[in-house]
Amino acid sequence: EVIESTEALLAVLDKAGLNRAQALGAAMVATVDAALTKGFVGDRRNDHRLAQARAAGISFLEVPVAVGLALRLGANPDTTNATTGDTALHVLLQFPSKCRVLPYDQVSGEAIAQTVCALLDRKASTVIRNKGGKTPKDLAMQLLNEGDQYGKAWLEVLSKGSAAEIPPPFPVSPCRQLPLSPVAPSAAAASLGFGMPTGSRRQLQVPPLNAGNPPAVRPT
C-alpha cells in the first residue's frame, strides 16, 4: 500500500513537471551521505575496526532499504551531488578507507556492500567522474593502499555485484576479540538479517526490486 500510494503521489507530481528520476536520485545521494556521515567515528586503527563496524554503524541499517526504495520508485542511480559531483557509489566507496571496514563487517560494511549491489543492479556507472576527477572504480582501487584484503574485497563487490564472493575475515587473536553484546538485535536489524551467523565464505545477495514490499537485505 505504501508503494502504491507513493507511486500515485509521484504520478501527480510528474504531471506537474517533476523530474522524478532526478529528484529521487538527489534525495537518495543526500540520504546516503547523511547516514555515512552520521555513522562515522574518526578512528582508523585496525584494533577498532570491528568496534567501528558494529557500534557506530547502526544508522547504516537504513541505507540499503532507503536506496532500494528510491530505485524502485525510479531514481536515477547516477544522480550527482551538485557540490562534489559524487554519485551514491562515490559516497559509499569513500567510507571504507575512513573506517577500515570490509564488505562482511557488521553493520556498516555489509550495509555498504548491499547498497553498492543494489545500485549496480540498476546499472549505476562505475566510471563516472566526480569534481575531483575520481570514479567509483578509482576509489575502490585506492583501497589497495589500505592492504590487499581491503582493496580486493571491495573491487570484487564493485566488479561482480551480488555475485561477489568475499574472502573470510582477518583472523582475530582470542585476546583481541570483542565480547558479544548481551543485547539481542533490534527488530529492524533482525528483519534485515544482521547479527546472524555466517560461514567462512559468503555470497552477497540482493533480492529483486519487485512490486511487493520494499527490498530487504539478507546475507546468506
Side-chain angles (χ1 to χ4, degrees):
E1 292 184 8
V2 174
I3 293 290
E4 292 176 357
S5 299
T6 306
E7 287 275 18
L9 176 60
L10 287 171
V12 173
L13 293 173
D14 287 341
K15 291 180 180 179
L18 174 74
N19 184 333
R20 181 194 300 206
Q22 188 67 23
L24 286 173
M28 178 180 69
V29 174
T31 298
V32 172
D33 188 47
L36 268 61
T37 301
K38 177 182 176 183
F40 174 59
V41 173
D43 190 339
R44 297 174 68 256
R45 290 175 294 175
N46 194 55
D47 289 350
H48 295 275
R49 180 172 59 82
L50 292 179
Q52 167 70 46
R54 290 177 178 168
I58 192 64
S59 64
F60 287 84
L61 285 172
E62 305 166 9
V63 176
V65 174
V67 169
L69 179 59
L71 293 170
R72 161 74 180 85
L73 292 171
N76 177 359
D78 291 329
T79 302
T80 59
N81 178 289
T83 303
T84 63
D86 287 335
T87 63
L89 275 183
H90 281 98
V91 178
L92 290 163
L93 290 168
Q94 287 170 25
F95 189 83
S97 65
K98 296 177 182 177
C99 294
R100 297 178 68 90
V101 293
L102 289 154
Y104 44 74
D105 285 337
Q106 300 176 349
V107 172
S108 54
E110 288 186 337
I112 291 173
Q114 298 289 0
T115 308
V116 167
C117 290
L119 287 161
L120 293 174
D121 285 348
R122 289 302 179 101
K123 310 301 182 185
S125 174
T126 63
V127 295
I128 189 171
R129 296 189 181 278
N130 61 15
K131 292 188 177 180
K134 299 291 186 182
T135 68
K137 186 174 181 180
D138 291 335
L139 296 173
M141 290 290 293
Q142 287 179 0
L143 291 170
L144 291 169
N145 296 330
E146 306 293 331
D148 278 352
Q149 188 156 5
Y150 285 100
K152 289 178 180 178
W154 286 107
L155 282 168
E156 175 89 355
V157 172
L158 192 63
S159 63
K160 296 185 180 179
S162 4
E165 274 199 350
I166 48 182
F170 290 122
V172 180
S173 169
C175 66
R176 309 294 289 186
Q177 286 180 332
L178 296 172
L180 295 177
S181 170
V183 180
S186 67
S191 71
L192 291 174
F194 295 117
M196 300 173 63
T198 57
S200 61
R201 290 185 67 86
R202 303 164 59 195
Q203 188 174 55
L204 297 171
Q205 293 188 355
V206 178
L209 301 175
N210 52 34
N213 294 325
V217 181
R218 295 183 180 275
T220 59

